Amino acid sequence: MKMKVFNVGFGECILLDKSPEAALLVDCGSKSKNKIDADCISEQIRNSKNLSFMLTHFHADHYNGFDKLNNDVCKADQVYFPWISFSPQKEYAVSILLELAIHLMLLYGESVIDKDIVFLLKGQMEFIQNHVKENGRVYFLKQHDTFSLGNCDMEVLWPIQCGLEKCFDGKGNDVERLYNIIEQSLFQDANDQEKFASTRKEIINNLNNFYLLFDEYNNRFTATERHFMELGNLVESQKNLILGINRMADAGRKKNPDSVKKWRDSLRKIFRHDNNACSVVFREKRDKSDCSTSGYKLLMTGDITKNIIEKHLYKMYFQDKQYEYMKCPHHGTCTHYSVCLPECDNFIVSNDKCSRYNAISDEYFLHSRTNGQRYCTNSYCETVRSGRCCKERNPKSQCGTEDFFEIEISDL
């Protein structure tokens, strides 16, 4: 297998390439969309007989570049999303994300709407419309699922199937109280409160109808002409509801500008973190009878959080395990680095200067096995910023690339 790590600035776009047999594009997005070389990426995937797209989670720096690809030659046979549990009977983790999204819509003005919130509420449906071939398949991945990449099977380590709300740092009760404060402040009239409750219910019902397209057993569906028509209707309905819910709070926002900003900042921080916590994490699947080694070839981590790593992944998947290549969580920043990440020989980092986020952590040179080799798309890291050179730690490390790194992973 060839791993091609594209330089998209602060973002991520990685091709796992077994062409012409199969190829999987894991994320395609950036904080600066002009740094995405869509022609280069399209050229690398156009000849694959079986092309898959994966969105590890719903942040724009992981999905906003797919729209720039050449749609004539780059539609997917399979699309993979992080597993979402939502139904009237079972309101698990994404109920938290969904409620966050709906209440954040109340706090944004009509002219400024957060793209990630809109993507969760309707953008994932549009993604299927725009990027999946007719009769292509769409999957929601969850722990213990497997998927194929050519002759190689991959196993999903995260997200888990149920009870995911337990992974969100026990914020549920505090957030619920904040929702009540927001609603009472923005809608002091009983009729307005009733209108909001009705609109919220319609948004939830539309998402429920979307999820009902998926087979209950394996969380997938085949995108037939009928499915595309249903998605079109749902998207149009969600578009109107989102606009309506945003407008109905306009008067309340104007009366409470300082409080609205404080509430919005608070909920946005939680939404961003919990979105990362739903990231798809996967590695190659090993035969259970193979107990000869604790080593794996590849670990893909999305933007999985430090909390999830330490509380839920370490004991089962990382402790006493060794990996040859690891895509570092959250662009290699120190905020998501953890000593509980597994031992690894090669660290893959997609990062660049971004005012909101930290540089690549120097800890990846010191982690587990000292002097691990790093492949960084740009040189925005703690090592270089301190006046040193990453090659001092490992002369084979590669610091920056104009278009993409190509790494050969043997036996995959």
Side-chain angles (χ1 to χ4, degrees):
M1 176 190 293
K2 293 179 180 178
M3 173 189 276
K4 298 176 182 179
V5 186
F6 296 94
N7 184 355
V8 292
F10 191 97
E12 207 144 275
C13 183
I14 298 176
L15 180 65
L16 301 181
D17 190 3
K18 292 178 73 70
S19 293
E21 180 185 2
L24 170 63
L25 189 64
V26 182
D27 293 328
C28 183
S30 175
K31 291 292 184 185
S32 302
K33 287 183 70 174
N34 62 350
K35 292 193 175 183
I36 298 173
D37 189 340
D39 290 338
C40 174
I41 298 169
S42 298
E43 184 63 30
Q44 294 300 316
I45 64 179
R46 65 182 300 160
N47 295 322
S48 177
K49 294 178 181 177
N50 192 300
L51 177 62
S52 301
F53 292 161
M54 177 185 289
L55 279 70
T56 58
H57 61 294
F58 301 139
H59 276 157
D61 61 329
H62 289 255
Y63 66 73
N64 64 14
F66 282 101
D67 287 338
K68 296 187 66 174
L69 301 181
N70 185 339
N71 222 23
D72 293 332
V73 296
C74 297
K75 283 204 169 185
D77 298 281
Q78 290 86 218
V79 163
Y80 301 107
F81 290 123
W83 176 86
I84 294 177
S85 173
F86 177 79
S87 73
Q89 292 77 33
K90 296 181 179 180
E91 296 196 21
Y92 293 140
V94 172
S95 294
I96 293 176
L97 285 180
L98 179 57
E99 291 292 358
L100 282 166
I102 291 173
H103 284 83
L104 276 164
M105 289 303 305
L106 293 174
L107 300 172
Y108 278 97
E110 186 179 337
S111 61
V112 182
I113 299 178
D114 189 282
K115 293 178 181 178
D116 295 338
I117 297 168
V118 176
F119 194 90
L120 177 64
L121 296 178
K122 74 176 179 71
Q124 52 184 318
M125 306 178 206
E126 292 175 308
F127 189 95
I128 295 170
Q129 287 180 296
N130 296 333
H131 299 296
V132 180
K133 294 178 180 177
E134 187 169 345
N135 295 319
R137 289 186 170 181
V138 184
Y139 298 80
F140 276 138
L141 295 177
K142 61 185 184 301
Q143 189 181 52
H144 305 310
D145 282 348
T146 61
F147 63 93
S148 296
L149 179 55
N151 60 359
C152 181
D153 287 337
M154 300 290 178
E155 66 171 331
V156 179
L157 314 184
W158 194 263
I160 58 175
Q161 182 170 5
C162 61
L164 192 55
E165 73 277 5
K166 295 177 182 177
C167 305
F168 291 148
D169 300 334
K171 298 184 290 286
N173 292 335
D174 292 339
V175 174
E176 284 289 340
R177 283 193 289 271
L178 183 53
Y179 291 159
N180 292 332
I181 294 172
I182 291 170
E183 291 173 28
Q184 290 168 12
S185 298
L186 298 184
F187 305 119
Q188 296 181 2
D189 183 85
N191 290 332
D192 291 338
Q193 293 176 12
E194 186 176 332
K195 185 178 179 181
F196 167 68
S198 175
T199 304
R200 171 188 170 278
K201 185 176 181 180
E202 288 186 71
I203 290 174
I204 290 172
N205 284 341
N206 279 342
L207 281 166
N208 186 44
N209 289 332
F210 168 51
Y211 300 141
L212 287 174
L213 296 176
F214 290 78
D215 180 271
E216 185 175 355
Y217 176 71
N218 54 28
N219 285 337
R220 76 180 185 192
F221 77 89
T222 301
T224 63
E225 184 177 355
R226 176 181 66 83
H227 286 119
F228 283 120
M229 289 181 62
E230 290 184 33
L231 286 171
N233 293 333
L234 290 171
V235 166
E236 189 62 28
S237 177
Q238 289 293 77
K239 185 187 302 182
N240 293 329
L241 291 167
I242 288 170
L243 189 59
I245 205 171
N246 186 266
R247 286 175 174 172
M248 70 175 62
D250 190 52
R253 285 195 299 268
K254 290 178 180 177
K255 290 180 181 178
N256 305 278
D258 294 336
S259 295
V260 165
K261 183 181 185 305
K262 181 179 68 174
W263 297 332
R264 186 174 62 227
D265 291 346
S266 177
L267 291 185
R268 183 72 185 102
K269 183 178 180 181
I270 298 171
F271 181 83
R272 187 182 299 121
H273 176 275
D274 291 355
N275 199 333
N276 284 337
C278 290
S279 289
V280 176
V281 179
F282 68 94
R283 67 187 180 190
E284 80 271 16
K285 183 177 175 60
R286 290 252 306 271
D287 191 326
K288 289 183 178 180
S289 63
D290 182 10
C291 300
S292 58
T293 177
S294 61
Y296 287 84
K297 290 287 182 178
L298 177 66
L299 177 65
M300 300 291 288
T301 63
D303 278 0
I304 200 66
T305 62
K306 185 176 181 179
N307 176 59
I308 300 298
I309 291 168
E310 295 176 354
K311 292 185 178 180
H312 303 280
L313 294 174
Y314 173 67
K315 286 187 178 180
M316 186 174 296
Y317 299 115
F318 296 167
Q319 188 176 25
D320 300 323
K321 301 291 191 302
Q322 299 170 2
Y323 290 81
E324 193 169 333
Y325 293 90
M326 176 174 68
K327 201 289 299 179
C328 297
H330 198 263
H331 316 279
T333 58
C334 60
T335 50
H336 287 53
Y337 171 78
S338 171
V339 293
C340 291
L341 285 166
E343 292 188 8
C344 186
D345 295 316
N346 300 275
F347 301 96
I348 314 299
V349 182
S350 180
N351 197 326
D352 201 1
K353 187 174 182 178
C354 182
S355 58
R356 184 185 296 170
Y357 299 103
N358 294 312
I360 301 167
S361 174
D362 201 32
E363 294 294 339
Y364 285 107
F365 268 135
L366 309 173
H367 181 78
S368 300
R369 300 177 178 185
T370 57
N371 300 328
Q373 184 172 345
R374 296 202 312 197
Y375 297 83
C376 303
T377 56
N378 289 283
S379 58
Y380 184 63
C381 69
E382 292 177 346
T383 301
V384 174
R385 290 175 70 190
S386 66
R388 294 170 291 151
C389 174
C390 60
K391 292 184 182 293
E392 294 174 7
R393 296 283 180 85
N394 189 316
K396 294 182 180 180
S397 289
Q398 298 188 45
C399 184
T401 177
E402 184 174 345
D403 42 23
F404 62 89
F405 290 124
E406 182 172 310
I407 304 165
E408 185 81 35
I409 303 179
S410 60
D411 301 325
L412 268 188

